[in-house]
Amino acid sequence: MKENHLTEGSIGKTLLLFAVPFLIANILQSLYGAVDLWVVGQYCTSKSVAAVSTGTQVTQIVTSLVTGLTLGSTIIIGQYMGSREYELVRQTIGTTLTVFAVVALMLTALMLGFERPLLKLLGTPEESFDLTMQYVAICSLGNIFICGYNAISAILRGYGDSTRPMMFVGFACVLNIILDIVFVKFLGMDVSGTALATVISQGTSMFAAVIYLKRQNFIFDFRWSSFRPSGKLAGQLARVGIPISFQEMMVRISFLYLMTVMNHCGVYAAAIVGIGSKYDVFAMLSATSMANALAAITAQNIGAGKPERAKKSLWYGMSFALIVSCMFWLWAQVDPQSMIRVFAKDEELIAVGAPFFKSCSYDYIMVAMVFCLNGYLNGRKKTVWTMVSCSAGALLLRIPMVWFFGTYYGDNLGMLGKIAPIVSGIMACYTLIYVVFEGRKS
């Protein structure tokens, strides 16, 4: 396979060419949960919608942990690619895949062992509890595919290739949509069908990716003898990846706490937060894509000794991300009912959720800034700082505010929707100050 270096050519063009496949891949990947929720909303009851909403929040804990660790491998591989140390690239890939196989098994055991107490802790509505249990259990059994699938994509992005991960995600997404409709609409499998469709599609995509890369003479040969983990490289992965995973987990815990508060408000409130979380993902896709692209581009340019190019990439990336985020914000301000109606037909649910969507949509803009700034810092291996920053935002800002608003404004979804933009706005301010300060030092 052709080497891909992100250290040459026009900064804006290089960033866009690398980030657009990221964006498409993230859109397709986001369709997993969105299609699950849409199919359930069309062919099942509100209890099923609430089950998928809550279950998705739980399974995203695993996704968050995996995303952090895989981003660590993207950064390390990117720096070795930038400095042309190809043997270390191979060793890092072998170490990454071996470590993730072990992590997947551990996560499966933990999720299955603590599923029931976790769902009780979240205050899952009794009428949707059993369905939520089914969804989480099936998804947990597919952790090995989730980990392998994300690890291969992260490796390729560190290598400088964002196109092939997009292809693998696209294949999985199409298969997931087909299986969702077959399992839920035609076989009547309800929530279990959506979870099974996700697991099968991700597993099939993972094996297809390995077969394809072997045939393309990828830098890593996928032979058993190549899966020898290096203690030194595993240590690097841990130092870079664990802080990212930790911050993702803290953010996820804070959102789980929000879900807990909403679950106590009833099925409608739980369903609205679940639908809102789908739009959060789509509205922030440009920011997420740019953040991941910036991490890889920054890593390669730092490895190649070009820090100024990395800085300029940050400002380009943030501008691109804000354009898309502002479009979703405008939609939520003008017609929030139409956003909810995409996923549900219940008019009472739509009426209850509109104020939440209007106030929460300001977060789309704030998060675009935070994500891009953190992506740049992660590429510079400042992952400990981003961990402290995001953890503080989750534990010291979001959770106390959820408690306060939930206690005094629990029946006002419009007020609860203001929590996220306030927290993200504060984080954007102090992260920008830190980036400017670091820029003056280097």
Side-chain angles (χ1 to χ4, degrees):
M1 285 174 58
K2 181 183 176 182
E3 295 175 11
N4 296 283
H5 295 289
L6 308 173
T7 57
E8 302 160 358
S10 165
I11 295 174
K13 182 179 179 181
T14 300
L15 180 62
L16 276 178
L17 289 176
F18 188 65
V20 167
F22 250 119
L23 176 60
I24 296 172
N26 284 335
I27 290 172
L28 293 171
Q29 197 156 18
S30 300
L31 284 173
Y32 283 120
V35 168
D36 286 352
L37 196 63
W38 182 83
V39 171
V40 167
Q42 298 302 309
Y43 303 111
C44 304
T45 65
S46 293
K47 291 189 294 184
S48 299
V49 174
V52 173
S53 299
T54 304
T56 300
Q57 294 292 329
V58 174
T59 57
Q60 281 179 350
I61 297 175
V62 173
T63 304
S64 298
L65 289 170
V66 172
T67 300
L69 290 173
T70 54
L71 185 55
S73 66
T74 296
I75 293 165
I76 293 171
I77 291 170
Q79 291 205 354
Y80 286 142
M81 281 294 295
S83 58
R84 310 300 203 266
E85 297 177 80
Y86 300 122
E87 183 55 37
L88 286 174
V89 171
R90 293 187 188 91
Q91 292 180 28
T92 303
I93 293 173
T95 301
T96 296
L97 294 174
T98 306
V99 166
F100 270 82
V102 175
V103 169
L105 295 174
M106 292 172 60
L107 288 174
T108 299
L110 286 171
M111 291 296 291
L112 292 176
F114 293 95
E115 176 187 5
R116 181 175 290 276
L118 178 59
L119 292 179
K120 285 187 176 295
L121 182 65
L122 294 176
T124 304
E126 192 62 36
E127 56 266 43
S128 63
F129 192 90
D130 289 340
L131 290 174
T132 309
M133 282 279 292
Q134 293 173 24
Y135 185 87
V136 174
I138 294 172
C139 288
S140 296
L141 292 171
N143 281 339
I144 187 68
F145 302 132
I146 295 172
C147 288
Y149 169 84
N150 281 282
I152 291 172
S153 294
I155 288 164
L156 286 170
R157 287 162 179 159
Y159 189 71
D161 182 357
S162 58
T163 301
R164 285 175 179 81
M166 176 189 69
M167 292 164 48
F168 303 144
V169 171
F171 172 74
C173 185
V174 171
L175 182 58
N176 183 60
I177 292 172
I178 294 171
L179 293 178
D180 260 334
I181 295 172
V182 170
F183 289 161
V184 178
K185 181 180 179 180
F186 296 108
L187 299 182
M189 294 176 67
D190 205 283
V191 168
S192 298
T194 64
L196 189 60
T198 298
V199 171
I200 292 174
S201 60
Q202 291 191 333
T204 304
S205 180
M206 185 192 79
F207 286 115
V210 172
I211 293 169
Y212 175 84
L213 292 174
K214 287 188 71 171
R215 291 180 176 177
Q216 292 294 313
N217 295 318
F218 184 52
I219 191 172
F220 186 77
D221 58 19
F222 292 95
R223 294 177 181 173
W224 286 111
S225 58
S226 300
F227 286 87
R228 290 195 301 269
S230 161
K232 180 179 177 181
L233 291 172
Q236 284 192 49
L237 283 172
R239 284 192 296 274
V240 177
I242 288 178
I244 302 173
S245 290
F246 185 81
Q247 76 185 42
E248 292 284 346
M249 185 171 64
M250 291 300 102
V251 171
R252 186 51 48 198
I253 287 174
S254 69
F255 278 105
L256 284 174
Y257 182 62
L258 173 61
M259 176 61 76
T260 302
V261 172
M262 301 303 279
N263 280 339
H264 285 299
C265 295
V267 170
Y268 280 161
I272 280 298
V273 171
I275 294 171
S277 70
K278 302 307 174 191
Y279 276 105
D280 287 345
V281 172
F282 281 105
M284 299 170 189
L285 276 177
S286 60
T288 304
S289 304
M290 280 297 169
N292 290 332
L294 283 168
I297 288 174
T298 301
Q300 281 208 15
N301 281 282
I302 294 297
K306 298 181 178 181
E308 286 302 318
R309 182 180 173 86
K311 292 177 189 176
K312 290 179 181 178
S313 297
L314 166 62
W315 306 119
Y316 275 101
M318 192 182 298
S319 300
F320 295 146
L322 283 169
I323 291 172
V324 178
S325 297
C326 286
M327 292 171 63
F328 273 91
W329 168 81
L330 185 61
W331 184 13
Q333 295 305 306
V334 174
D335 191 6
Q337 292 86 355
S338 66
M339 298 176 77
I340 304 171
R341 200 169 278 116
V342 170
F343 291 99
K345 299 178 180 178
D346 189 321
E347 289 300 323
E348 186 174 351
L349 181 66
I350 293 168
V352 167
F356 180 86
F357 270 68
K358 269 197 169 184
S359 56
C360 191
S361 63
Y362 286 91
D363 194 41
Y364 304 157
I365 298 171
M366 297 296 103
V367 162
M369 297 177 63
V370 175
F371 280 13
C372 289
L373 291 167
N374 283 344
Y376 168 76
L377 290 170
N378 285 334
R380 294 188 59 184
K381 290 188 176 180
K382 301 290 183 180
T383 55
V384 173
W385 195 92
T386 59
M387 175 191 72
V388 173
S389 167
C390 291
S391 298
L395 300 179
L396 302 182
L397 294 174
R398 186 174 288 108
I399 287 180
M401 289 184 67
V402 169
W403 174 84
F404 177 81
F405 281 87
T407 301
Y408 297 101
Y409 303 97
D411 57 347
N412 189 333
L413 293 186
M415 289 295 291
L416 288 173
K418 294 178 180 179
I419 297 171
I422 292 174
V423 173
S424 298
I426 295 171
M427 292 177 64
C429 290
Y430 65 66
T431 306
L432 182 60
I433 292 170
Y434 179 77
V435 167
V436 172
F437 175 74
E438 280 294 308
R440 289 178 178 175
K441 286 170 56 178
S442 57

